[in-house]
Amino acid sequence: MTRAVIVGSGSEIAPTRVTNAQMARIMDTSDEWIRERSGVEARHFATPEIATSDLGVAAAEKALAAAGVAKAEVDLVVFATMTPDHYFPGCGTLLQHKLGLRTVPCFDIRQQCSGFLYGLQLADAHVRSGLAKTVLLVGAEVHIGFMPWTRENYAYALGTSDVPPTKEEWDWNSRFRHLVVLFGDAGAAVVLRAAEDGERGVLDHELHGAGADYEKLYVPGTGFKHRPYTDPEQFKRGDHIPVMDGRHVFKMATTSMVEVARSVLQKNGVAPDQLKLVLMHQANQRINEYCAKALGLREEQVPHNIHKYGNTTAATIPLLWDECTRDGRLRPGDLVLMVAFGAGMTWGASLVRA
Ligand code: COA
């Protein structure tokens, strides 16, 4: 039996670290509120010259080096992001070109916070079917383009300007405070290789998609439902910034993540205490604490890094994988469950033997 084994990982964090206290310089929020409600203590944002594909490329270089895999061996690229460099083309071919890969198929995945797991199933299916042998799977995001503040406000937050926001700017930034404090920029990648008859590899997946509640978390503007698809009026209304009903998303995320995790474990006859790690999407520490408790997991089984990076959307799960591999919490042979919930709505879980 052919399985896709994760043989290497790498990650790249955007350079500018922004603390909660810095965010509170330009909007009505506080370090205490953000920490208590989400677990986020700081996030990193990309500088203007860095795009999503660049974070993906840097992460992919490290993943290939860690795997000891040559670029010429990669025969499939899967790139998950909800913040692509351009409306089109997606980041897949940009990464192919920047990395100097062969002209291999490049898929772009846009299932937001579930993007990595959707990409993992696609990569796994290609390997199992024999269509691919060496896959580069990348999740990367640059969310700073969603942020409502002006350049001057951002400089004030970072302490490089003495000009505080006007009352109007303060109110505008504060309108989006429940959303903007949660996100950060990063890229992470894994290399998957076909292996025959071994224990290791991707074992099973369960993915879901349901659009009934899509307006609870979506970007109302800059889409082809509008003609033209973007215009200054949409920008003035703030329609280029995501709308999020936090409470609704919180409830859906906790319910769906627990259900799908239980389902995958039951189908594979795995008890929660047999798992070395459960890599949960990092949207809110409270969501993950709830899920961990409902699934009966021990604290050391559920690593988190939301306090350092915030929600990096498609990058959260490979970023955790990479951190845990580098610090020795994850070793070859360990059984790992990955679980995510994201806009769409989309959710899923994957069971992997490292
Ligand atoms: N700073 C200070 N106060 C804030 C704030 C901020 N950044 N954001 C919201 N508030 C205020 C609200 O205005 C509200 O005030 P009110 O009681 O006077 O009306 C109060 O805090 C409570 O807001 P609420 O939205 O009920 O808080 P919450 O406990 O649900 O936490 C989220 C908000 C967004 C952190 C939480 O709902 C969440 O994380 N949801 C899931 C989001 C998610 O997962 N998104 C990504 C999907 S993959």
Side-chain angles (χ1 to χ4, degrees):
M1 181 184 196
T2 307
R3 285 213 172 106
V5 179
I6 298 180
V7 291
S9 62
S11 53
E12 180 76 7
I13 308 296
T16 309
R17 182 172 181 270
V18 181
T19 63
N20 293 343
Q22 287 174 313
M23 296 287 254
R25 285 167 65 83
I26 55 170
M27 71 187 78
D28 183 12
T29 190
S30 67
D31 177 47
E32 192 190 7
W33 191 96
I34 303 170
R35 258 175 221 258
E36 269 181 19
R37 303 284 178 135
S38 70
V40 179
E41 295 171 15
R43 75 288 294 142
H44 289 242
F45 285 129
T47 41
E49 74 285 2
I50 298 175
T52 296
S53 64
D54 299 312
L55 294 177
V57 165
E61 292 269 15
K62 293 179 195 172
L64 288 167
V69 166
K71 288 177 183 171
E73 293 176 81
V74 174
D75 55 11
L76 178 70
V77 168
V78 183
F79 199 128
T81 185
M82 69 168 191
T83 52
D85 299 15
H86 302 287
Y87 199 96
F88 76 83
C91 283
T93 53
L94 305 188
L95 176 126
Q96 175 276 335
H97 174 63
K98 288 182 185 180
L99 270 181
L101 304 179
R102 291 182 294 125
T103 58
V104 297
C106 299
F107 284 92
D108 294 294
I109 297 278
R110 44 164 310 166
Q111 266 70 26
Q112 293 68 243
C113 299
S114 309
F116 182 78
L117 295 190
Y118 268 72
L120 188 63
Q121 176 165 304
L122 185 71
D124 183 37
H126 273 75
V127 169
R128 282 177 195 257
S129 67
L131 277 171
K133 285 196 160 39
T134 306
V135 186
L136 190 52
L137 170 59
V138 181
E141 307 284 351
V142 167
H143 295 105
I144 188 157
F146 277 144
M147 299 302 154
W149 50 72
T150 62
R151 278 195 194 125
E152 295 73 22
N153 289 175
Y154 188 47
Y156 185 73
L158 297 179
T160 54
S161 156
D162 294 330
V163 184
T166 62
K167 161 93 174 66
E168 211 180 24
E169 288 167 345
W170 176 271
D171 290 346
W172 175 256
N173 298 342
S174 300
R175 183 182 138 192
F176 305 100
R177 63 181 178 169
H178 63 295
L179 177 95
V180 298
V181 299
L182 301 177
F183 292 91
D185 301 343
V190 297
V191 178
L192 295 119
R193 291 208 94 164
E196 303 297 327
D197 302 325
E199 293 278 294
R200 297 175 62 199
V202 180
L203 304 177
D204 198 11
H205 311 268
E206 185 176 319
L207 296 178
H208 294 271
D213 293 312
Y214 85 93
E215 285 176 333
K216 302 291 183 188
L217 182 54
Y218 82 123
V219 182
T222 61
F224 286 85
K225 195 176 165 185
H226 303 277
R227 279 102 211 220
Y229 79 101
T230 186
D231 62 56
E233 292 309 311
Q234 292 179 39
F235 187 75
K236 274 188 220 148
R237 287 195 300 269
D239 286 353
H240 58 298
I241 298 170
V243 162
M244 181 178 78
D245 178 340
R247 282 187 186 198
H248 190 90
V249 175
F250 193 102
K251 273 191 214 134
M252 277 197 86
T254 45
T255 312
S256 312
M257 285 168 69
V258 170
E259 266 175 24
V260 75
R262 280 196 183 128
S263 174
V264 170
L265 292 179
Q266 266 165 20
K267 268 190 273 176
N268 290 276
V270 174
D273 66 357
Q274 290 174 273
L275 295 165
K276 178 70 193 300
L277 295 177
V278 179
L279 305 183
M280 291 190 196
H281 170 55
Q282 304 287 293
N284 185 318
Q285 182 62 10
R286 287 163 58 223
I287 292 179
N288 293 356
E289 281 166 5
Y290 176 93
C291 294
K293 197 168 170 213
L295 293 167
L297 298 166
R298 299 183 306 279
E299 211 181 310
E300 68 273 17
Q301 287 176 288
V302 192
H304 62 95
N305 56 22
I306 190 168
H307 55 296
K308 290 189 283 186
Y309 309 129
N311 181 354
T312 59
T313 302
T316 61
I317 290 179
L319 189 52
L320 273 177
W321 178 285
D322 188 47
E323 279 195 344
C324 292
T325 303
R326 279 187 288 116
D327 68 19
R329 275 179 289 174
L330 180 56
R331 292 175 195 281
D334 286 342
L335 198 54
V336 178
L337 186 71
M338 304 172 179
V339 195
F341 180 89
M345 305 298 187
T346 54
W347 65 99
S350 297
L351 186 65
V352 179
R353 192 170 288 282

